Every structure is written in C-alpha cells, then in structure tokens.
Amino acid sequence: MKIGVDLGGTTVGIGIIDDDHSIKSSGSFRTAGITETSGLIETVINGIDETVSRSGIPFECIDFIGMGCPGEVDAVSGIACHADNLPLENTPFGPILSERFHKPVRIDNDANCAAWGEHIAGVSKNCSNVVTVTLGTGIGGGVIIDGKILHGNENHAGEIGHMVIDIHGKRCGCGRIGCWETVASTRALTNEVETQAKYAPNSRLGRLIAENGGHANGKTLFIALNEDDNMARSIFNDWIRFLEVGMWNIINIFRPEMIVISGGISNEGDTIILPLRAAVGKCSTIIEAGKLGGKAGMIGASTLYLCD
Ligand SMILES: [Zn+2]
C-alpha cells in the first residue's frame, strides 16, 4: 500500500492506494487560508495520520508516500521551492515527511503527478512519450519522454500554458502577452461566455448565466451547445481553434504518441476530443481524455517510486 498526497491551494487530498492503483480510503483537508509553512506541514501530517487511522489499515502496511505540490518542486532533493498559492519557499517537504513517518518519500510538481498517474494507471499506460494537458483556471502540462518525467533546468519544463500563440493578445498572469492559457483555458472559455452573453441577455447563454447567479461555469456553454444554440457553437468553435493551435505546437515539439486532456472539462468527453482529433487528422499522435479524472494527481503521487 502507498499513500498519495495531492496538495492544492484549497484542499489537500490524501489517499491510501493499493498496489493495483485503486484508492482504498481517502480524506480531504482544508489548506485555504493557511499562511505559515509550519501550519501547512502540520495539516498534511495530521491529514495523513487521520486518513490512515480512519481506514483501519495498519501503518506498517504502507511502504511509500508520494506527494504532488503546485509550483516549482525539486524532485531529487524533495524540496518544494515555490508556489503562488501556498506558503512554500524552499521547504524540504520530502525529508520532513520521511523523518516523521519513517517511510521513503518522493514529491513532484502536481501537473507532473497527474501526467504520471495517467501514464502508470490511466489512459496513456502503454505510451512512453506523452504530454498531458490540464485545462483549468490556467493550462498545466506534464511531459513524459522515454518513460521519464521531463523536469528541465530548475524544474521549469512543461509550462505549456505559457507558450505564446498570439503576440497581439491578452496579458497573461506571467507577464507576457498572448499565452495559450489566456485563450484556451477553461477560465478563458467562461470569460468569453460571460462577455458575449452580456450583450445578449435574452439569449440562451444569457438566461443560463442569470439562473446561475450572474456567472458562467464550466458547464454553462455545454448545456447551450447540446441545445444547438448558435452563439454557444460560435464561442466553442473559436475556443477549439485556440486549443488546436497549441496542440499542434506540442505535437511539433515533442511528437508524443498521445496527448491526454485532463482537468474537469475533460468530462465533456467526445464534444472536446472529437474536434481535436479531427484537427490533428492523420498525425500519429492520439488525443484522449484522461481516465483518472480528479484522482490522477493523487494516484500519480502514490506511484512516484516507479520514476527511477
Ligand atoms: Zn503566461
């Protein structure tokens, strides 16, 4: 049995995971509002203790702990170097957990863990070269080349959301103009839905947004799309076009066997996957939706011992 920890800015998910990669027991603990590193470490340690004791599984049966962290992570030394949304600054999280629980520990970036999870136990199981694209507020990436996670210099590889695809585009959170995530993330899509619906409050999208307290969410567009709404179709087609451009850049740089689309929006399945497959055409790269959903990071973390 392994423990997989998925550390995020809102919660930390902790799972006890069998050697066949199924989750036996899990817990979720709040991290939002924690401002001190010590408080964050305590939350993770107590969360592990609580999850194990609630599961009834003896601690001796656990032989590995893996953790995915946001931001920059030095996987070799187990140091969480920096994260924008958590108090992590050169925090030796790996050594701290190892000393506390007397188990081997590995940590890595959260997007890398999600990519690794799909690679070990999910949709890209039999592929040695895979790029996983996580669509959410931003666009994250995990790149696996020859069966290994690509970390790059100072662990900064795989920031695919920040490849520029429009030099006349919008300002990105990273400071540059026209990054992929400014136009192709889930947030970019919901922003576009809200902007266009503002001028057409009586449209289907306008009414859906009004019913949802004035905001679009990840599902708003797809509800209207299923009803064959014209405005929804036009917003969706533009968004898919932006996704395609980035996909092709990834294909040209890495030529992976598979690109895995993960993140909540991948639940829309064929609606997103089929147009992307059509755009890629006869290229040998296969486009698939992730199979592990929101658990990819946790499962991936629990299998980081297979990285060597
Ligand atoms: Zn950027």
Side-chain angles (χ1 to χ4, degrees), residues 47-281:
I48 291 175
D49 273 334
E50 197 180 317
T51 307
V52 173
S53 82
R54 254 195 289 129
S55 73
I57 294 165
F59 217 95
E60 303 82 76
C61 297
I62 310 283
D63 53 20
F64 176 78
I65 300 172
M67 180 167 82
C69 289
E72 188 194 334
V73 177
D74 184 341
V76 176
S77 58
I79 293 174
C81 306
H82 173 78
D84 288 332
N85 54 354
L86 281 172
L88 292 169
E89 213 59 54
N90 294 322
T91 308
F93 229 129
I96 288 168
L97 293 180
S98 177
E99 199 172 298
R100 168 66 175 75
F101 292 109
H102 307 288
K103 309 278 179 193
V105 175
R106 257 190 105 114
I107 70 173
D108 209 317
N109 165 270
D110 52 0
N112 286 346
C113 286
W116 190 248
E118 291 290 352
H119 171 65
I120 296 295
V123 69
S124 55
K125 223 173 176 174
N126 299 314
C127 302
S128 307
N129 298 290
V130 199
V131 177
T132 296
V133 178
T134 307
L135 297 178
T137 312
I139 297 182
V143 180
I144 292 169
I145 299 291
D146 297 332
K148 290 193 183 312
I149 298 172
L150 181 73
H151 289 102
N153 191 34
E154 295 183 328
N155 304 293
H156 281 311
E159 292 290 351
I160 53 173
H162 297 285
M163 64 177 145
V164 171
I165 67 163
D166 180 5
I167 59 168
H168 303 295
K170 296 173 193 153
R171 175 80 63 182
C172 177
C174 75
R176 300 176 79 202
I177 303 271
C179 292
W180 196 27
E181 70 176 36
T182 66
V183 286
S185 63
T186 309
R187 180 188 272 174
L189 180 67
T190 50
N191 282 350
E192 192 57 29
V193 168
E194 285 180 0
T195 306
Q196 294 211 21
K198 212 181 272 174
Y199 298 104
N202 293 320
S203 64
R204 183 67 185 116
L205 283 176
R207 281 180 281 125
L208 281 168
I209 289 171
E211 284 163 23
N212 194 44
H215 291 287
N217 61 29
K219 291 208 172 303
T220 312
L221 178 98
F222 294 95
I223 295 171
L225 202 61
N226 283 333
E227 296 167 6
D228 240 358
D229 180 75
N230 282 339
M231 189 196 271
R233 172 61 56 191
S234 141
I235 295 172
F236 177 76
N237 286 349
D238 287 347
W239 179 70
I240 284 285
R241 183 83 194 95
F242 284 128
L243 265 183
E244 278 171 35
V245 173
M247 292 287 169
W248 263 115
N249 290 344
I250 291 170
I251 291 171
N252 283 324
I253 297 167
F254 297 107
R255 194 53 64 152
E257 294 152 75
M258 187 183 284
I259 294 177
V260 178
I261 308 290
S262 99
I265 206 160
S266 63
N267 293 335
E268 300 297 334
D270 282 354
T271 311
I272 293 172
I273 300 300
L274 295 183
L276 289 177
R277 274 190 197 149
V280 167

